[in-house]
C-alpha cells in the first residue's frame, strides 16, 4: 500500500498551521500569555461581565480548558471574578486595569504577527482564506456535541 499524501489531509495541514502560529506567537506576541488566554481577554475587554461558560462559547474553548484559562488569568491579576447578584452559583468576569493594559499591548503585537503570518497571501486570498477556514471551523463546532452519533461511511 502506498503512503498517503499528507498535503491532502486537512488535519495534517491544520496542525502545521497551528505550529507555525504557535512559534510566531511566542516570538512576536508573548511567551507568558497564550493565544487562547488573549482570546479570553479580548472577549472580556469587548464584553465585560460575561460568565465563564459564555466566554468559553465565544472563543471556542471547552469547559475544562476555559476553566484553566480563567484560573491562570485570574492568578496573574488580569481578570476579576465577582459573584453574579442574580445567580450566586456563577461568577462574572471582568478584565482588571492590568488586564486591559496587557490586552492593549498584545493587540498591537498580534496585529504585527498576523501580518507576518499571512504575508504569503494577497489581500483577496486572505479574504477567501478566512471565509474557508471560518466555514470549516463553524461546521466542526457542530461535531463537538452531535445530535446523532457519527458513523464512518461504509
Amino acid at each position: 500500500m502506498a503512503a498517503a499524501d499528507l498535503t491532502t489531509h486537512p488535519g495534517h495541514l491544520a496542525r502545521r498551521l497551528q505550529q507555525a502560529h504557535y512559534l510566531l506567537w511566542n516570538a512576536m506576541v508573548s511567551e507568558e500569555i497564550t493565544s487562547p488566554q488573549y482570546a479570553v481577554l479580548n472577549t472580556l475587554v469587548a464584553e465585560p461581565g460575561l460568565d465563564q461558560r459564555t466566554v468559553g462559547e465565544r472563543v471556542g474553548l471547552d469547559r475544562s480548558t476555559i476553566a484553566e484559562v480563567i484560573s491562570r488569568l485570574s492568578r496573574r491579576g488580569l481578570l476579576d471574578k465577582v459573584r453574579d447578584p442574580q445567580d450566586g452559583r456563577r461568577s462574572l468576569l471582568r478584565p482588571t486595569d492590568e488586564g486591559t493594559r496587557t490586552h492593549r499591548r498584545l493587540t498591537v503585537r498580534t496585529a504585527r504577527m498576523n501580518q507576518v503570518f499571512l504575508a504569503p497571501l494577497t489581500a483577496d486570498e486572505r479574504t477567501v482564506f478566512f471565509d474557508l477556514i471560518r466555514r470549516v471551523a463553524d461546521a466542526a463546532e457542530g461535531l463537538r456535541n452531535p445530535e446523532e452519533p457519527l458513523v464512518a461511511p461504509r
Side-chain angles (χ1 to χ4, degrees), residues 2-3 7 25 42 45 52 58-59 65 68 75 81 86 97 99 102 105 124 127 134 136 138 144:
T7 64
W25 183 273
N42 190 63
V45 164
Q52 184 171 300
R58 296 261 163 79
V59 299
T65 304
E68 182 58 30
R75 283 195 308 266
K81 287 184 190 181
Q86 267 73 49
D97 290 343
T102 297
R105 187 176 71 250
D124 287 344
T127 300
R134 201 175 290 121
V136 171
D138 289 348
R144 283 189 187 194

Side-chain angles (χ1 to χ4, degrees), residues 31-48:
E31 291 182 352
E32 292 82 35
I33 304 295
T34 65
S35 179
Q37 290 171 355
Y38 172 76
V40 168
L41 265 181
N42 190 63
T43 298
L44 290 170
V45 164
E47 296 181 80

Side-chain angles (χ1 to χ4, degrees), residues 6 8 50 60-61 83 90 96 101 112 117 119 145 147:
L6 294 179
T8 64
L50 296 176
L61 295 175
R83 285 278 165 225
R90 69 181 197 158
T96 61
R101 282 192 295 276
R112 277 191 232 124
F117 192 60
N145 297 309
E147 300 283 322

